[in-house]
């Protein structure tokens, strides 16, 4: 897919402020274009993260709602609550368990010093269930006072550039899932994703009233 997109934009360039592939192809560093393999890798990476995380999240949400008929009915009757529910689902079912960083200076956190240059893992999925930050962290609660604190999309310079798009996708997916039938239930065990994601790769559900 990435190679096809790069080949297409080489043949049919688009405005650089509208299309990231065209922008990368037009970039010059010290007068030289970027290596094509670097551009292919960048586009591939965006495609991979853009495809995997939302689908894994939708799977996790389907599992939760399939097991919680009361919440399912509540959200179906009150669609205005879906955005808040999606925020809470992102906290509970953060699909990327963590990311790597390297400490740029010595830093002491809770009495533990991480020296400059040390590689560290930021385990977002664990942080999102930190009992010092989230009361009863394993419970779904739609009215948490600190709904904006979770780290599902990371934090800082490298936080997810697709966060707004992903949130929109998840809202549409939950609305459609709830609107598809008066109810749905799980009919078997969900199939888990492989490392490094956490969540559901596929979820067997039966929709009420479906043949
Ligand atoms: C539920 C869906 C998604 C989740 C939970 C998610 C989560 C994340 C996380 C945790 C990071 C890394 C932050 C860090 O390094 O601290 C990230 C980075 C990134 N995400 Fe997402 N993501 C999602 C969907 C998407 C989508 C749909 C796209 C694009 C279409 C996307 C594009 C990216 C890109 C390009 C980066 C790298 C940003 C950088 O390094 O500067 N993501 N995402």
């Amino acid at each position: 897919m990435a190679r096809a997109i790069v080949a297409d934009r080489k043949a049919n360039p688009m405005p650089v402020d509208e299309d990231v592939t065209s922008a990368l192809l037009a970039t010059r560093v010290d007068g030289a274009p970027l290596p094509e393999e670097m551009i292919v890798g960048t586009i591939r990476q965006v495609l991979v993260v853009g495809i995997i995380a939302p689908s894994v999240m939708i799977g996790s949400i389907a599992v939760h709602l399939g097991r919680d008929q009361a919440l399912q009915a509540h959200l179906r009757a009150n669609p205005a609550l879906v955005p808040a529910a999606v925020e809470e689902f992102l906290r509970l079912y953060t699909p990327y368990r963590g990311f790597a960083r390297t400490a740029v200076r010595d830093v002491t956190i809770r009495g533990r010093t991480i020296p400059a240059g040390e590689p560290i893992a930021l385990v977002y999925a664990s942080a999102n269930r930190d009992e010092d930050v989230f009361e009863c962290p394993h419970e779904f609660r739609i009215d948490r006072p600190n709904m904006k604190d979770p780290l599902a999309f990371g934090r800082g310079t490298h936080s997810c550039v697709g966060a707004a798009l992903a949130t929109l996708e998840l809202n549409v997916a939950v609305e459609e899932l709830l609107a598809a039938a008066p109810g749905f239930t799980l009919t078997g065990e969900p199939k888990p994703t492989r490392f490094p994601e956490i969540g559901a790769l596929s979820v067997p559900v039966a929709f009420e009233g479906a043949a």
Side-chain angles (χ1 to χ4, degrees), residues 42 45-47 49-55 57-58 90 93-96 98-101 122 124 151-163 165-167 169-170:
T42 304
Q45 179 68 6
V46 175
L47 288 169
V49 295
I51 291 168
I52 294 179
S55 56
M57 262 310 297
I58 292 166
L90 278 162
Y93 303 116
T94 305
Y96 290 129
F99 275 78
R101 286 292 190 279
L122 304 180
Y124 297 151
L151 290 170
F153 292 115
R155 193 67 59 84
T157 311
H158 287 282
S159 64
C160 179
V161 290
L165 174 63
T167 306
E169 284 180 49
L170 295 175

Side-chain angles (χ1 to χ4, degrees), residues 31-91:
L34 296 172
E36 186 161 324
E37 281 304 291
M38 183 190 280
I39 298 177
V40 169
T42 304
I43 301 305
R44 175 182 176 276
Q45 179 68 6
V46 175
L47 288 169
V48 169
V49 295
I51 291 168
I52 294 179
S55 56
V56 166
M57 262 310 297
I58 292 166
S60 299
I61 293 172
V63 173
H64 189 110
L65 289 175
R67 287 179 178 152
D68 188 342
Q69 296 298 316
L71 177 62
Q72 207 187 109
H74 186 55
L75 293 178
R76 197 173 278 113
N78 302 280
L81 295 177
V82 167
V86 164
E87 299 274 338
E88 179 65 344
F89 284 135
L90 278 162
R91 182 191 68 79

Side-chain angles (χ1 to χ4, degrees), residues 183-199:
F184 68 89
T185 47
L186 297 188
T187 56
E189 277 304 305
K191 187 174 168 195
T193 50
R194 294 174 298 265
F195 190 85
E197 291 88 26
I198 327 178

